[in-house]
Amino acid sequence: RKEVEQDPGPFNVPEGATVAFNCTYSNSASQSFFWYRQDCRKEPKLLMSVYSSGNEDGRFTAQLNRASQYISLLIRDSKLSDSATYLCVVNMQSNYQLIWGAGTKLIIKP
Amino acid sequence: DGGITQSPKYLFRKEGQNVTLSCEQNLNHDAMYWYRQDPGQGLRLIYYSHIVNDFQKGDIAEGYSVSREKKESFPLTVTSAQKNPTAFYLCASSPRDRGETQYFGPGTRLLVL
């Protein structure tokens, strides 16, 4: 089993729709969780950190479920500019290294 | 402007050749990292460094070497021992190495001739 797993997609979604991504992780001792966004042939950029209480930033909402070991990202009112690959990232507490999921590709269609 | 720079943007390697990828940061970050990304895959850690003159192997260090002589610089050498070097190479930094947010350079795309 991979340490961090994501549905590779692609998710093809009409503009204005709501889309949700899930990510599961294997190490129950993980402490830090992030969502990064990566545009085609570009570097990843931090979208948001994920906190235990859940957090929201505009149209984006991140949730953490420690009992089931998954994190989620919800995008409301999707825009064409949201088209990208979304990477789930988990910190392995034992060595503080970040473990990266393979990413979920999102395509927003007009 | 603070940030991370990588050069070159594209690099071509001939068989048996060593090539060096540059990574420089002016964010005053202690920790720096090198990742490799292959199509459709997540980032895999090659090497990382917590502090000047110290670095550790990541998951796929074979065929690569690094140095950390200055806080700002963390060059990666892809040696001839790396038999499948074609990939997108990303350098990152973070304030410390405690699983914090990492900030990335624009990447170098390495191709084998």
Side-chain angles (χ1 to χ4, degrees):
Chain A
R1 181 186 174 189
K2 291 182 181 178
E3 292 178 286
V4 177
E5 292 202 63
Q6 297 182 251
D7 184 334
F11 284 27
N12 290 282
V13 174
E15 191 175 8
T18 296
V19 60
F21 305 132
N22 283 333
C23 166
T24 58
Y25 59 94
S26 60
N27 190 330
S28 60
S30 298
Q31 291 295 317
S32 305
F33 309 89
F34 309 93
W35 283 103
Y36 276 72
R37 171 194 168 127
Q38 186 174 25
D39 292 296
C40 188
R41 304 179 76 82
K42 300 285 188 181
E43 74 275 22
K45 293 184 178 178
L46 179 68
L47 180 64
M48 57 199 307
S49 302
V50 187
Y51 303 116
S52 297
S53 56
N55 47 303
E56 186 174 311
D57 183 4
R59 298 182 293 108
F60 298 84
T61 301
Q63 296 280 353
L64 168 64
N65 185 320
R66 287 190 182 273
S68 300
Q69 293 180 212
Y70 78 83
I71 65 175
S72 63
L73 177 67
L74 185 76
I75 306 175
R76 292 181 299 278
D77 187 24
S78 53
K79 313 291 185 189
L80 294 176
S81 58
D82 293 334
S83 296
T85 295
Y86 290 83
L87 300 166
C88 171
V89 189
V90 175
N91 155 242
M92 293 303 182
Q93 188 185 30
S94 59
N95 60 10
Y96 299 106
Q97 296 310 310
L98 298 184
I99 306 300
W100 296 74
T104 297
K105 187 171 184 178
L106 174 64
I107 300 171
I108 305 297
K109 297 187 172 182
Chain B
D1 266 345
I4 303 175
T5 57
Q6 289 186 243
S7 62
K9 187 173 182 179
Y10 295 96
L11 185 59
F12 298 92
R13 194 191 91 164
K14 295 180 181 178
E15 291 288 339
Q17 186 181 38
N18 292 354
V19 292
T20 297
L21 284 60
S22 168
C23 177
E24 303 277 334
Q25 55 99 0
N26 61 4
L27 300 168
N28 200 33
H29 286 173
D30 287 326
M32 296 187 74
Y33 311 83
W34 273 106
Y35 291 96
R36 169 181 173 141
Q37 187 177 33
D38 294 282
Q41 296 191 30
L43 278 65
R44 292 186 290 167
L45 184 64
I46 304 173
Y47 268 98
Y48 63 100
S49 169
H50 301 170
I51 197 169
V52 174
N53 292 323
D54 184 53
F55 49 83
Q56 306 294 327
K57 292 182 178 180
D59 300 322
I60 56 165
E62 186 175 350
Y64 301 97
S65 66
V66 293
S67 63
R68 186 86 186 276
E69 297 176 1
K70 297 187 299 182
K71 187 175 185 177
E72 303 80 20
S73 179
F74 192 40
L76 173 74
T77 297
V78 184
T79 74
S80 57
Q82 172 50 246
K83 298 305 180 188
N84 184 22
T86 296
F88 188 37
Y89 290 87
L90 289 156
C91 179
S93 71
S94 64
R96 299 175 302 275
D97 185 31
R98 287 296 180 265
E100 302 161 310
T101 304
Q102 294 179 5
Y103 301 87
F104 285 84
T108 293
R109 205 163 292 274
L110 176 61
L111 299 168
V112 177
L113 296 177

